[in-house]
Amino acid sequence: MANFIKYLTIYKQDILFRVRIIMSNIFALTLNCGSSTLKFSVVDFKKNKELILGMADFLCSSGVSILWKTKTGKYNDILHKQSNIEEIIDFISYNILKSNIKIFNNIVCIGHRVVHGGSKLRKSVIIDKKIIKHIEHASIFAPLHNPINLLGIQASFNIFPHLKKKNVAVFDTAFHSTLPKRSYLYGIPYGFYKDYGIRRYGAHGISYSYVTNRSSEILKISRHRLNIIACHLGNGASIAAIRNGVCLDTSMGLTPLEGLIMGTRSGDIDPSIIFFMYKKLKMSIKEIENILIKKSGLLGISELSSDFRILESNYLSCEKVKLSIEVFCYRLSKYIASYTTLMQGKLDAIVFTGGIGENSCLVREITISRLSILNCNIDIKLNTSMISGKEGFINSKNSISILVIPTNEALVIAKESVLLFKKSI
Ligand code: ADP
């Protein structure tokens, strides 16, 4: 009898909890921990809207600068320079979330952006010890990203113990799990794929997921019939061929080093360059890695900066800067042209997103100017007006649609997290 009463009590509590979840607002905290920034947000799942949006910048000269905005305004603060991820998340919890207790109390789950899921993790998951091991294992493929993502996960376990079983990992590689074998296999002995998982995995999948849904809404074409080529151009840059709503090819590979020229990453190179650096120049593997990841790309060619705002403002006055932007756009237009061959005669739009894609009319103009043979033409006036978070078409009349869509990874992370949270209760 005592057991029966205990069972009834637990059952009642469970039902009450579920009713509360259905009736009340449910919010997700999202954390996107990178090497130079930690982006965070609180998203109202039902309204699909951010209530708090913020970013901690580790590279700021005076310390870790934290900027955030809420319904009531914009705020900022500075933490001391050595602040680690846990201290930053602690600040977010105590100074930002808990100062709005109504919001804090409605946070039911925490969504983490994780760059690489390796061969085992192909969709979003609730994080437990086994999942942490898999993410650690995949760090070899994303050494700049996965270890920092893990620090964010560990910190949120410590700071939000009541939500420990409600942390969700959302993977950038998941969107590319539909790549066919012909696209993800490298031309090296098959055993490297079979025994070690050496294949192309892609990245920026969370962003591609957002722009695919948004393109489907804007173009009024259902997602499963939508054919787009999406260009995510930020510090890291990649491109994806999306047919019938799923990814068929993408420019990033085993790691986010392959493909387009990026801020500091080389993108595609002849692997023999590595042998040359190693054998002829007697450089160590660590030095070579550092060059290809941190000293190449736009920074390497321009010898000035990886920051596109600085490059754009020197475009006319500095020959090397001009060259770096031309190489960047040239490679991008080559990728776009090759991806049109995957569209089976129906390309609904070319989409630009990411910090550069959303803001640089110069990059969009140079890149598209090479694609007129494919009936892609830009409208100069529309192109110059589509900056600073604006969304819309930039193509001229009778051209294939060209769209600028500001990405919103936080909304995707929040949605995935809440859906998994709901399944778990
Ligand atoms: P991340 O890959 O770090 O998320 P972002 O998507 O934020 O990068 O993009 C950062 C890049 O976007 C930087 O090179 C930055 O200079 C560039 N960028 C941001 N705003 C502008 C702008 N108004 N004009 C040109 N480039 C911009």
Side-chain angles (χ1 to χ4, degrees), residues 8 20 31 44 55 129 151 219 239 253 287 295 297 305 311 337 373 388:
L8 268 186
R20 191 170 80 77
L31 295 172
D44 180 337
M55 184 173 93
K129 277 189 188 149
L151 288 178
L219 296 163
I239 172 165
E287 283 171 317
K295 301 232 156 76
S305 174
L311 297 177
I373 193 165
S388 310

Side-chain angles (χ1 to χ4, degrees), residues 3-280:
N3 270 352
F4 182 66
I5 290 172
K6 196 171 149 204
Y7 172 77
L8 268 186
T9 316
I10 292 172
Y11 185 68
K12 191 175 139 202
Q13 276 172 356
D14 187 45
I15 294 279
L16 282 176
F17 179 70
R18 281 163 199 255
V19 169
R20 191 170 80 77
I21 293 297
I22 293 165
M23 302 300 288
S24 64
N25 292 322
I26 46 175
F27 304 156
L29 169 65
T30 72
L31 295 172
N32 179 348
C33 299
S35 51
S36 55
T37 61
L38 186 164
K39 295 175 186 155
F40 58 96
S41 72
V42 177
V43 176
D44 180 337
F45 176 71
K46 284 182 186 153
K47 295 193 181 130
N48 209 22
K49 195 176 120 196
E50 287 132 329
L51 305 171
I52 298 176
L53 190 61
M55 184 173 93
D57 183 351
F58 314 147
L59 301 183
C60 173
S61 51
S62 45
V64 176
S65 116
I66 305 195
L67 301 164
W68 70 99
K69 63 177 182 188
T70 70
K71 213 169 72 181
T72 54
K74 287 185 179 173
Y75 308 90
N76 62 70
D77 211 323
I78 298 270
L79 302 190
H80 65 85
K81 229 177 162 37
Q82 279 74 37
S83 300
N84 60 30
I85 298 259
E86 181 145 351
E87 285 164 334
I88 297 167
I89 296 178
D90 204 43
F91 177 91
I92 295 168
S93 168
Y94 282 96
N95 297 49
I96 304 176
L97 304 180
K98 284 188 181 160
S99 68
N100 193 330
I101 204 70
K102 250 189 181 164
I103 289 186
F104 183 80
N105 284 341
N106 282 322
I107 295 176
V108 294
C109 56
I110 305 174
H112 299 265
R113 177 193 183 199
V114 179
V115 165
H116 215 301
S119 54
K120 296 261 178 350
L121 303 171
R122 317 291 294 277
K123 55 183 186 189
S124 305
V125 282
I126 295 206
I127 304 168
D128 58 20
K129 277 189 188 149
K130 208 168 111 201
I131 298 298
I132 288 184
K133 279 263 166 292
H134 284 313
I135 298 173
E136 273 169 4
H137 194 70
S139 289
I140 181 91
F141 301 147
L144 293 184
H145 301 97
N146 273 25
I148 299 178
N149 301 154
L150 280 167
L151 288 178
I153 291 168
Q154 197 52 56
S156 77
F157 280 176
N158 298 341
I159 294 165
F160 307 102
H162 60 298
L163 295 175
K164 189 157 182 191
K165 292 190 175 148
K166 309 292 177 209
N167 281 263
V168 173
V170 182
F171 300 98
D172 259 319
T173 43
F175 185 78
H176 306 296
S177 62
T178 51
L179 291 184
K181 224 169 188 173
R182 62 177 177 274
S183 150
Y184 71 66
L185 274 188
Y186 287 111
I188 57 176
Y190 195 77
F192 285 98
Y193 161 65
K194 211 166 104 277
D195 301 334
Y196 306 104
I198 304 292
R199 48 157 283 184
R200 306 180 60 252
Y201 290 97
H204 291 141
I206 301 171
S207 174
Y208 289 129
S209 179
Y210 179 81
V211 298
T212 303
N213 281 338
R214 202 58 207 118
S215 304
S216 154
E217 287 164 5
I218 297 169
L219 296 163
K220 299 191 175 40
I221 300 173
S222 65
R223 185 172 163 147
H224 71 275
R225 289 198 309 110
L226 182 75
N227 293 0
I228 59 171
I229 296 174
C231 315
H232 179 107
L233 313 176
N235 284 316
S238 72
I239 172 165
I242 298 158
R243 193 174 79 208
N244 297 330
V246 300
C247 189
L248 285 191
D249 205 347
T250 190
S251 59
M252 282 182 169
L254 174 71
T255 74
L257 183 56
E258 189 180 339
L260 302 176
I261 303 261
M262 302 174 224
T264 60
R265 287 174 241 163
S266 64
D268 299 334
I269 59 163
D270 181 339
S272 300
I273 297 171
I274 297 169
F275 314 146
F276 177 85
M277 291 173 170
Y278 182 70
K279 288 186 195 157
K280 231 4 203 186

